[in-house]
């Protein structure tokens, strides 16, 4: 498939760690334009995080944390709410469906599933399956499964 949003995100973070001036921002900007996405260099994504279709349309704001084994489908937004301090935190092994939005200082618990097109504006408990606008719990998973 070629370079993904994660490729550009990781390259930009590595260049910044190495103290290279200006280049990290340029690398990140190229990725944003190619993939119509923005995974901010100041977001913290675990090395095992996956992005659907290479991250097309994915927006992850600065300061957002995405835990180990989590997956963000295409066209997902994880951003602060305008005028409200704090950003979302996504736990481990969370699956976020296509077009979902996670907005504001919310926590998504480990093993949760966010349905396609859901609008998450409040905390999601671990192992919850949520859907709708606004998102609400539709089911609780019994245990953490491997995979999605």
């Amino acid at each position: 498939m070629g370079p993904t949003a994660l490729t550009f995100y990781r390259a930009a973070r590595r260049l910044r760690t190495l103290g290279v001036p200006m280049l990290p921002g340029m690398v990140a900007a190229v990725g944003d334009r190619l993939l119509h996405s923005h995974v901010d260099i100041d977001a913290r994504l675990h090395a095992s995080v996956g992005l659907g279709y290479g991250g097309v349309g994915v927006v992850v704001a600065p300061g957002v944390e995405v835990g180990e084994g989590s997956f963000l489908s295409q066209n997902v937004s994880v951003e602060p709410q305008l005028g409200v301090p704090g950003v979302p935190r996504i736990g481990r092994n969370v699956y976020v469906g296509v077009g979902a939005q996670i907005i504001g200082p919310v926590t998504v618990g480990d093993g949760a599933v966010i349905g396609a097109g859901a609008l998450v504006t409040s905390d999601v408990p671990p192992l919850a399956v949520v859907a709708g606008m606004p998102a609400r719990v539709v089911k609780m998973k019994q245990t953490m499964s491997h995979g999605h």
Side-chain angles (χ1 to χ4, degrees):
M1 171 165 186
T4 68
L6 286 173
T7 306
F8 289 100
Y9 162 80
R10 290 184 180 125
R13 285 189 60 99
R14 180 84 178 122
L15 287 166
R16 190 171 68 181
T17 300
L18 294 171
V20 178
M22 291 181 15
L23 198 53
M26 291 168 58
V27 166
V30 168
D32 291 356
R33 279 163 190 71
L34 280 177
L35 296 159
H36 304 288
S37 67
H38 180 72
V39 179
D40 196 275
I41 193 170
D42 289 318
R44 294 189 298 282
L45 280 64
H46 188 275
S48 62
V49 167
L51 298 179
Y53 288 96
V56 171
V58 171
V59 175
V60 181
V64 167
E65 294 178 41
V66 182
E68 175 181 359
S70 291
F71 184 87
L72 307 180
S73 299
Q74 68 272 25
N75 297 320
V76 164
S77 293
V78 187
E79 303 180 82
Q81 183 178 339
L82 276 177
V84 179
V87 295
R89 191 193 155 284
I90 297 174
R92 297 187 329 269
N93 301 309
V94 172
Y95 177 84
V96 183
V98 175
Q101 298 175 66
I102 302 171
I103 307 295
V106 300
T107 298
V108 177
D110 294 348
V113 174
I114 310 299
L119 174 60
V120 176
T121 57
S122 58
D123 290 351
V124 175
L127 302 176
V129 178
V130 301
M133 296 177 89
R136 57 190 182 284
V137 176
V138 294
K139 176 179 161 182
M140 293 299 291
K141 298 186 333 188
Q142 296 305 310
T143 59
M144 196 97 81
S145 63
H146 295 290
H148 306 292

